[in-house]
Amino acid sequence: MSARTPSRSYDMIMKLLLVGDSGVGKSCLLLRFVEDKFNPSFITTIGIDFKIRTIEVNGKKIKLQVWDTAGQERFRTITTAYYRGAMGIIIVYDTTDSRTFDNVENWFATVNQHASDEAQLMLVGNKCDDLENRQVPREKAVELAKRLNIPFVEASAKSNENVDQVFYELAKLIQENVGDAVVETNNGVNVASSNDSTKSSCC
Amino acid sequence: MSREWSVRFGAHLYLTLSKTSTYQTPSSLNSSNSFAMFNKFKTKTDKLSVPSAIKSVSSVTNAIKTVRQTDLSDKLSSASFQLDDLARYGVDGLIDGMGFDPVQSLLAVSTSAGQIHVYGQHQVAVTLETPTPNPVITLKFVKGVYLVAIDSEDTILVYSLESKKLLSNYKAAAAIISVESDPSLDWLLLGLATGIVVAFDVDRFSLAPFKIANLTHPRGRIVSLKWHPRELGTLLVATTDAVHIYSVATEEVKQTFAYAIPAGAPGGGDRDGTRNPTVTNALWHPNGLNIVSFYEDNSLVFWDAVSGQLLQARTLYDTYVDRATTRLTCPVVEQTPIIKVCWITGENPDVTSLVMLGGEINFDGGVHSLTVMHFGAAPTYSITSYEKMAEYYAHPASHKQIPLHTTSQIIDFLPLPRLSPHFNGSHNPSHLLVLQDDGQLQLMDCDTWGSDTRACKLPPDLTYLLPASTCIAATEIERNAWLNMVSAALKAQRSAQILQGGLPTKRPVRLYGMRSVMITGHANGSVRLWDASYGEIDETAVLETNLGDVLQGIATHVAISRVSYATDVAEMSVAMGSGVAMLKFGRNVRYSAAAAWGSVDTMRKLVVNEHSMCDLVQRYPNVKEGLLPTHYFQRPGVVTALKHSGIGLIAVGYESGQLIIIDNRGPAVIFDKNIGKYGDRGAVTAVEFSIMQHEDDTYSSILCYVGTAPGGLFAFKILPDREGRYMARFVGLALSEGSAIHSITTLNAETGESAAALLKHFETLGAGVVVPPMIIVASSRSVRVLRGLKTKVAQRSFDVRVLGCGTVTVHVDLSRDPANPTYTPRTAVVLTLVDSVRVLSVPELRDLQTLSLPFGVSAADAAYNVTVLPCGDVVLRKSATSVALVSILGKGITQHTYPPDVLFNRKMYLPPRPTMNVMSYARGSKPLTRDQLNEAMGGPKRRKGTILEVELGDKIVAGTAIYAPRETQEYEQVGNYERKNAYSAAATRNFNGLVRSVQSGIDTVNERLNTAGALASQKADEANDAIVKGAFKSKFGMS
């Protein structure tokens, strides 16, 4: 934890949500992002996992609250309550399992139904390091993302490819959206509607 | 054609577990000689002594009217029937409070019905009555021998677990807001509404001189009291304003923790000015070095207990909420309040998790989830910094919210510690017992945080609520067969029970060839088979299949509404909101010892189409032997009648009037129509398959009788069609009665034997045996005896509601020679009303006996709440959450005939209370000894305790005593009944070579069905032409 930005104070707090089919690697992406760890064994998430990490984008300290939801069908009514107030939602599929890609549109519909209109969405294809078993071509996903009008990134929690980028990119987009609106604050400082260059998200 | 039929039969395994030994395998009957057999039967039929008058419909009616009815109840009198009130299962009312003692290994629950139930190992259950009807919310085990209960009117009740009697009844002077006890201390601390803390002396039943006043202003309240987990004499007292550490020795506050949020910080809601949110709770870290306090705004603040330094102020979703931030952009989403908290430990008490009930994102105003922050091992106190501790509490190793129930609200949870009762009852819990506002329970596994619904974990009474039982039924299963069926489950379940305490009172075993088996269906899709009289046997197991798991991702409405079990073939059907599942008992070739017993691999995807059977072999639960789900038929709707016959035919009746008949061979739907087509439209409320004569036929057939809500009785004949498959044909309708038919029983009118469609009767079809029919139809207001649809022999109407109906077989000695009795079976009708059981003769329906029930029977959803078994056992649903077993062929046994079970074990000792750590010593803490504490609390003039419990309690907590591990635990054998251990001896014998007997059962039945099927097919072949012509005549009703 010491390597991370200390979570003393912050300029913004953002609630992010990870959704997608069981086994696509939502928990792995979160673990890689927050703790820089990777666990190859598959452990089904029970309930909803929660983690916090503070990052810096455009010179602002942004505290990310990330929720990792399990896909347990019978608790859907409870888990969809967590979509409320989410500012960013990451729809994850597995590039090595086309069925999880086929479900992306269902997840997109669920998100649109339960999340606020302002929520910024993002499509992430996980496990992109596994070229041998790839079932979903990049082009196909690009096309879908274009059609749904959401940004798209391929990432790998295992090889730590683009993981930070997913979260930084999303935070930047949210910051830009929010920046347009004038929000009342205690000390009267508004968040700059930032067109400044984003801090490199590479790792 | 016949070959095809025979192959189809052969492909499907049938097994019987009962009576296999009494039937020889008809191996001589193979398809080559069945022609010859058939011819022989034909000759036989011709020779049947059918009265010559029976030639036409009218003459038949007349003939029957004039023929003297055989009195099947001859020689039965009121003396033949007496009630045994054998057992109660489940609890009356809703559970209000829960308490657990890991040393004695006893669990107590209090109910809204004014009872406290204390449970131990599998059948140990003692009920303590409360003197007032007020709900008991708090239950605490103290010093092993006392159970302290506090009711909603602030009365403190002290029970002895030794004598199982109420020892003291004390009314507190003011409303009790908070309570603290310690399993090793005599003192019950009470935080009163008046803002003072007093102590109740549990050992002397009086208020102690000890008092803490002036910790809060007059309107403040004591919200929480906690003994230091390691230091005797140090208390954590939370008032609505602040949290204090109080020393009993010096009678002063050692440390105060006041939470103030500066302007601009996000904590405490509104960000203007300094805020002091109201305290709601406070806990010690199990090491006693840190504390956590909770506030109205759902923030939790961690403190260093000694220095008073604030380490971390956070909410469930944010950290450092006491520090000013530049801005806040995350929309505030409403949360539910945190209503209960517990700081649980691992085996190492330094490895901890904070478990909180509530605090989730609100979706309907109620609490539905647990939040668990797992912190892992605490940093070493002496070398860590406040900053590191702040990060430790800011970033738990894992932080999750666990939804528990979508519709019911969660009101309480109780950790079930494995190791010791110390650390505030949170030392390495195996499970949390979770209570819902609707009275249902859940068991959360503390290792996986998954819900554990296995019935074997908790006492049977509580598993009725784990989750709610949605239907009950009962059946008879031949004793050895039942022992065989549960043997594998018994091995798997032996060590699974959480409760190990108590010693059951031995009760005499009722020796029957058949065991009464209770079947319960549950809201989560679990179906469980129990020995209905398990109270009288040493060891038993539950046969359980969770269809909710099996059908995960396929069926959404899995609450079980109806079950029907076919004893002879060990098959069963289960109706749920989404459809019907078929199960059969068998050996699971896919069993893997590596996977958890009963677990289902839900990753295996299944495809389900409406109107087609879904094969469930992919989803077999991981059991060696058990009730394996074979097929699922998806058909949403309210199932109001279900019958799984002993010959593999299943009928499903819907509220809409739709009737579906399924041939389990295949399986295939052979009939799917609304019976409104044939008569009055209405819900199908009863179905029975029989093999007997229909009207003026000169042969017996497979008949399906269907009763409806408007009171219609429909008859269908089940016949093989030209492809060799069965088909159902409507053959008649008896006049409407006006009240809903809930039970149909068919008998052989001459012998009184059951005419139900069983394998043994199926086989006699080919032999041309004609079974004279008698149909007993019970509706909610009347009972009728019919000889066929057209002839009513007798009828009785009742002013009160008839809840259940069945027949019993009574063996009467007709020899008049007690030395040399010859028993003859006689039959009687048994009706269950709300408060009594009526026994009537057959067929006249004259009163034989009326037996008053010592309890009321639930009148909701009649019929399916009452099952009358031929052995005289009657299973009745008393309420939504409780069931009773009585026998009408008893000896007058009541619930008080046998002494209650033993609860308290004098040989168990409390492990020593954890002691303080070096750090506390170094910082100058002065813990009290037990004697010093007792003097400080009880004063110098504390009187001597004289009752036995004082001595027993002191022995148990004596600091030097050695804690006896559970494995070596022994009971002092007191007050136990001698009994014949026939059941368990038989069990041991039978467990050997089980598989052999089960397997041979399968083979035998399989052969028998093949043979009977081949024979039927043969006849079908011969009958084909006749069927086409519609001139249809044979002993089968088919050729």
Side-chain angles (χ1 to χ4, degrees), chain A residues 1 6-15 22 35 42 45-53 63 65 67 72-79 81-82 84-87 99 178 183-187 189-191, chain B residues 263-266 271-272 314 316-320 323-331 333 360-363 368-369 387 391 394-406 448-451 556 603 605:
Chain A
M1 302 306 292
S7 347
R8 289 299 148 73
S9 62
Y10 50 88
D11 303 303
M12 287 181 84
I13 183 162
M14 287 179 189
K15 177 178 170 183
S22 170
E35 293 178 29
F42 176 70
T45 304
I46 287 183
I48 303 145
D49 275 358
F50 175 79
K51 287 203 184 295
I52 292 176
R53 184 182 158 187
K63 193 174 192 175
Q65 299 180 340
W67 293 95
Q72 275 170 297
E73 191 65 45
R74 68 197 178 107
F75 294 125
R76 211 24 80 73
T77 48
I78 292 178
T79 52
Y82 286 80
R84 261 186 283 150
M87 299 160 79
R99 284 176 305 174
V178 174
V183 182
E184 203 184 305
T185 63
N186 271 333
N187 52 17
V189 177
N190 290 341
V191 158
Chain B
R271 289 163 31 117
D272 296 329
R314 65 169 300 161
L316 294 182
Y317 309 108
D318 198 0
T319 50
Y320 299 96
R323 296 185 187 184
T325 57
T326 42
R327 59 174 290 118
L328 192 79
T329 49
C330 192
V333 177
E360 79 239 60
I361 307 286
N362 192 350
F363 85 98
H368 301 273
S369 306
E387 286 71 29
E391 283 293 292
H395 299 284
S398 96
H399 177 175
K400 49 173 70 229
Q401 292 200 333
I402 302 148
L404 296 173
H405 202 275
T406 307
T448 63
W449 293 109
S451 178
T556 43
M603 294 303 278
K605 301 264 186 265

Side-chain angles (χ1 to χ4, degrees), chain B residues 731-753:
Chain B
V731 289
L733 166 64
L735 289 174
S736 287
E737 188 45 41
S739 60
I741 291 175
H742 58 61
S743 100
I744 302 166
T745 313
T746 52
L747 300 176
N748 179 323
E750 295 298 329
T751 64
E753 250 189 297

Side-chain angles (χ1 to χ4, degrees), chain B residues 811-825:
Chain B
H811 294 270
V812 184
D813 178 17
L814 299 178
S815 67
R816 290 180 189 171
D817 174 14
N820 197 14
T822 50
Y823 289 104
T824 312

Side-chain angles (χ1 to χ4, degrees), chain B residues 462-534:
Chain B
L462 297 182
T463 56
Y464 276 89
L465 310 168
L466 188 83
S469 155
T470 46
C471 82
I472 66 154
T475 186
E476 284 185 330
I477 299 180
E478 197 262 328
R479 199 182 65 159
N480 287 344
W482 172 245
L483 290 173
N484 288 351
M485 287 170 79
V486 295
S487 67
L490 191 62
K491 279 179 203 154
Q493 292 171 11
R494 198 167 278 154
S495 56
Q497 280 177 52
I498 295 173
L499 303 181
Q500 302 288 330
L503 194 65
T505 298
K506 309 277 185 183
R507 288 155 206 265
V509 182
R510 300 180 303 142
L511 290 171
Y512 289 141
M514 307 293 275
R515 295 299 299 179
S516 299
V517 172
M518 198 139 56
I519 307 168
T520 58
H522 296 262
N524 65 338
S526 273
V527 55
R528 299 169 185 160
L529 269 67
W530 304 84
D531 196 309
S533 40
Y534 54 70

Side-chain angles (χ1 to χ4, degrees), chain B residues 688-692 705 744-748 752-757 773-776 807:
Chain B
E688 174 70 351
F689 286 97
S690 305
I691 292 176
M692 55 187 197
Y705 289 103
I744 302 166
T745 313
T746 52
L747 300 176
N748 179 323
E753 250 189 297
S754 169
M774 177 171 290
I775 314 166
I776 300 167
T807 56

